[in-house]
């Protein structure tokens, strides 16, 4: 399931992030690439311990925790501290699948990457190219969102970023270990959750809402891993 989540950050937060990122020290993006993706990655990244990455990363994680759509779609157990990248001057990232396990640098913490997320931080009018192309069973999805919006997709997906031919594309990217490992299970829970919320809105106090909410929690109980 691919989900676009609007307005993770407010316009003020986006402006703050853009300002901090312009002034930050960028390094070659291959520092965090796995063996296979080193050969196809041409971008820049902020070091994981850079103060700007830490500060903005905490801002993003707080915003995610308060976003009901993100929580419902991801059912997050752990969120990797957000990283930041920049593509310009023809920079791109060829086809790859993200590494399955990620170590949080400087800690013993590891997480399984169930979901990959990209939070766009540049206005799409300010650059050409830089589309995130994600393959799934139904074909290729091209994603290029307004600044402050996020796309969430299964980390099992083959994906790439097309060359940026004008301007610079800055975004944050990170991974989520979900309470629910299987994308198919998460999708069912998300659909059920969405339908229950709509039912509660359209027909308040309908007796079926209690029963359906029970089904939701009993499925989550079957599938959740803590
Ligand atoms: Ni990737």
């Amino acid at each position: 399931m691919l989900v676009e989540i609007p307005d993770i950050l407010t316009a003020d937060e986006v402006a703050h992030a853009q300002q901090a990122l312009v002034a930050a020290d960028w390094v070659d993006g291959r520092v965090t690439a796995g063996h296979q993706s080193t050969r196809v990655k041409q971008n820049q990244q902020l070091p994981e311990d850079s103060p700007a990455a830490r500060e903005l990363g905490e801002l993003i994680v707080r915003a995610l925790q308060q976003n009901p759509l993100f929580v419902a779609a991801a059912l997050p157990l752990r969120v990797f501290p957000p990283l930041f990248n920049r593509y310009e001057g023809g920079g791109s990232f060829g086809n790859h699948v993200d590494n399955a396990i990620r170590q949080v640098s400087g800690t013993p913490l590891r997480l399984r990457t169930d979901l990959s997320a990209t939070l766009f931080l540049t206005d799409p009018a300010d650059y050409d190219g830089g589309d995130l192309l994600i393959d799934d069973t139904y074909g290729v999805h091209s994603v290029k969102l307004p600044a402050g919006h996020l796309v969430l997709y299964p980390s099992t997906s083959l994906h790439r970023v097309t060359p940026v031919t004008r301007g610079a594309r800055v975004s944050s990217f990170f991974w989520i270990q979900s309470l629910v490992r299987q994308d198919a299970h998460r999708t069912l829970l998300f659909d059920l959750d969405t339908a229950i919320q709509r039912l509660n809105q359209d027909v308040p106090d309908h007796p079926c809402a209690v029963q359906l909410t029970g089904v939701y929690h009993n499925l989550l109980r079957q599938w959740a891993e803590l």
Side-chain angles (χ1 to χ4, degrees), residues 1-212:
M1 172 178 67
L2 185 153
V3 186
E4 292 181 5
I5 304 177
D7 302 317
I8 290 281
L9 297 184
T10 64
D12 283 351
E13 288 168 333
V14 168
H16 168 68
Q18 287 171 344
Q19 222 167 17
L21 291 169
V22 162
D25 289 321
W26 295 85
V27 298
D28 193 306
R30 282 171 288 196
V31 285
T32 56
H35 183 69
Q36 167 238 332
S37 45
T38 301
R39 287 179 287 142
V40 291
K41 192 173 184 183
Q42 295 171 288
N43 66 4
Q44 293 172 301
Q45 232 168 269
L46 282 194
E48 289 178 41
D49 58 357
S50 102
R54 287 274 169 88
E55 190 245 310
L56 296 174
E58 283 168 19
L59 173 83
I60 291 168
V61 171
R62 271 199 306 276
L64 294 171
Q65 287 163 345
Q66 289 163 16
N67 188 293
L69 182 56
F70 172 80
V71 173
L75 297 169
L77 173 63
R78 288 192 195 107
V79 178
F80 193 89
L83 300 172
F84 297 84
N85 62 18
R86 179 167 72 182
Y87 295 83
E88 59 188 346
S92 64
F93 198 163
N95 245 348
H96 66 282
V97 170
D98 294 342
N99 286 1
I101 309 290
R102 285 274 169 185
Q103 177 107 30
V104 180
S105 103
T107 76
L109 265 184
R110 286 187 301 173
L111 66 73
R112 186 186 63 231
T113 59
D114 295 321
L115 289 156
S116 298
T118 296
L119 173 63
F120 291 77
L121 292 171
T122 307
D123 185 332
D126 292 342
Y127 64 99
D128 289 333
D131 300 76
L132 173 60
L133 302 182
I134 303 163
D135 293 349
D136 74 8
T137 327
Y138 303 108
V140 183
H141 298 269
S142 179
V143 185
K144 186 172 185 173
L145 300 178
H149 294 212
L150 176 127
V151 63
L152 199 59
Y153 57 98
S155 299
T156 49
S157 319
L158 200 60
H159 59 280
R160 56 207 168 274
V161 176
T162 64
V164 170
T165 53
R166 177 184 64 89
R169 171 201 193 265
V170 174
S171 50
S172 174
F173 64 103
F174 49 92
W175 301 274
I176 297 110
Q177 179 168 343
S178 177
L179 289 164
V180 175
R181 182 180 195 149
Q182 298 285 345
D183 180 57
H185 292 167
R186 271 196 314 273
T187 304
L188 285 172
L189 288 168
F190 183 60
D191 283 346
L192 183 55
D193 188 0
T194 309
I196 292 169
Q197 286 186 38
R198 205 171 300 159
L199 180 66
N200 281 334
Q201 249 173 24
D202 295 353
V203 196
D205 302 320
H206 193 288
C208 279
V210 173
Q211 204 173 4
L212 290 170

